[in-house]
Amino acid sequence: MKATPPDQAASPKISHSSLEDTTIEAAQEVLKDSPDGVLCLQDELSGWFGSMDKYSSGRGSAKDRGFWLQSFNGGPYTVNRIGRGAVLIENLSVSLLGGIQPEPIRALAAEAHDDGLLQRLFPIVLGAAGAGVDKPMPDAAAAYEATVARLTRLRRPTGEGALSTYVEVLLQFDDAAQDLRSSLAQKYFEMQCAWEAVNKKLASHLGKYDGLFAAQCCGPDLRPSRGALPRPARRPTAR
């Protein structure tokens, strides 16, 4: 048998779970072998937004912003380049986690293109710092890491091998949780309508809350199911 030259041999696939300092071209190379998606960690989000202009080589930041916008929804994505050839990304899915101060985010909101990228970020505002207390900290970090590890190990049912006994089903709300979801959906819709004439960017951001609510409810109920439907998400989960 004729051996395959080293330069023609297929490179081993390396699945990643996170990205940090990256361009969209480098992110595409990582994502093609990471069908579960990745987490993009950015210590300073202002630098992440600024890098779109820095590395865009005169093409403007629109192309970069379009890539990150599409990665919000996930799904197949094809890259065609003369030098790199055709690359199929099974699931273009990126979650973004980073920090930014109030003043820079205000400036970004005022100056940014109204393309929906900023509106897809969901802010978590930390409370004011207080005096330190000399007592053991709860082991929340270890519990969180264990949860992330458990979710990372989950695999989509394939009907073959070790996953042959698992079934793929839709997660549902029970009646009480569905009532809560419906009431919140109406609340978000009314907020969006109220802000539409005042600040369209904020109104667009509020329009994303309904989808975020459903996604947040999935986490606590993500578990393999051997031949039986998982229980519906209950009201405590929804709250």
Side-chain angles (χ1 to χ4, degrees), residues 10 12 15 17 39 46 52 55 62 69 90 92 119 126 136 155 167 169 172 176-177 181 217 234:
S15 180
S17 59
L39 172 65
S46 56
M52 295 184 194
Y55 296 111
L69 275 167
E90 180 181 341
L92 179 62
Q119 289 89 329
L126 301 181
R155 291 294 179 265
V167 295
V169 297
Q172 298 177 326
R181 192 212 70 81
C217 289
R234 297 169 297 172

Side-chain angles (χ1 to χ4, degrees), residues 150-230:
R150 177 177 63 84
L151 295 177
T152 303
R153 289 193 298 269
L154 291 182
R155 291 294 179 265
R156 183 175 179 176
T158 61
E160 300 176 355
L163 297 176
S164 61
T165 57
Y166 292 96
V167 295
E168 184 175 0
V169 297
L170 294 175
L171 293 176
Q172 298 177 326
F173 294 112
D174 65 12
D175 292 340
Q178 181 62 36
D179 289 341
L180 177 60
R181 192 212 70 81
S182 298
S183 64
L184 288 175
Q186 181 63 30
K187 175 183 177 182
Y188 298 147
F189 176 73
E190 293 173 355
M191 292 172 63
Q192 183 180 4
C193 292
W195 279 98
E196 186 69 30
V198 181
N199 189 318
K200 290 185 177 295
K201 292 181 180 178
L202 178 57
S204 177
H205 171 72
L206 294 171
K208 305 292 188 297
Y209 275 29
D210 196 31
L212 174 68
F213 174 79
Q216 292 293 92
C217 289
C218 288
D221 290 295
L222 279 176
R223 59 178 67 87
S225 176
R226 290 184 181 273
L229 299 179

Side-chain angles (χ1 to χ4, degrees), residues 25 28-29 63 78-87:
E25 290 80 10
Q28 290 165 358
E29 288 297 313
K63 184 176 181 179
T78 303
V79 180
N80 291 283
R81 297 290 184 272
I82 294 177
R84 296 162 60 193
V87 175

Side-chain angles (χ1 to χ4, degrees), residues 45-92:
L45 282 173
S46 56
W48 181 72
F49 278 101
S51 68
M52 295 184 194
D53 293 317
K54 180 179 179 181
Y55 296 111
S56 56
S57 302
R59 68 185 178 218
S61 60
K63 184 176 181 179
D64 292 50
R65 296 176 72 91
F67 172 82
W68 295 116
L69 275 167
Q70 191 164 347
S71 72
F72 180 84
N73 295 319
Y77 182 84
T78 303
V79 180
N80 291 283
R81 297 290 184 272
I82 294 177
R84 296 162 60 193
V87 175
L88 173 63
I89 297 175
E90 180 181 341
N91 181 28
L92 179 62

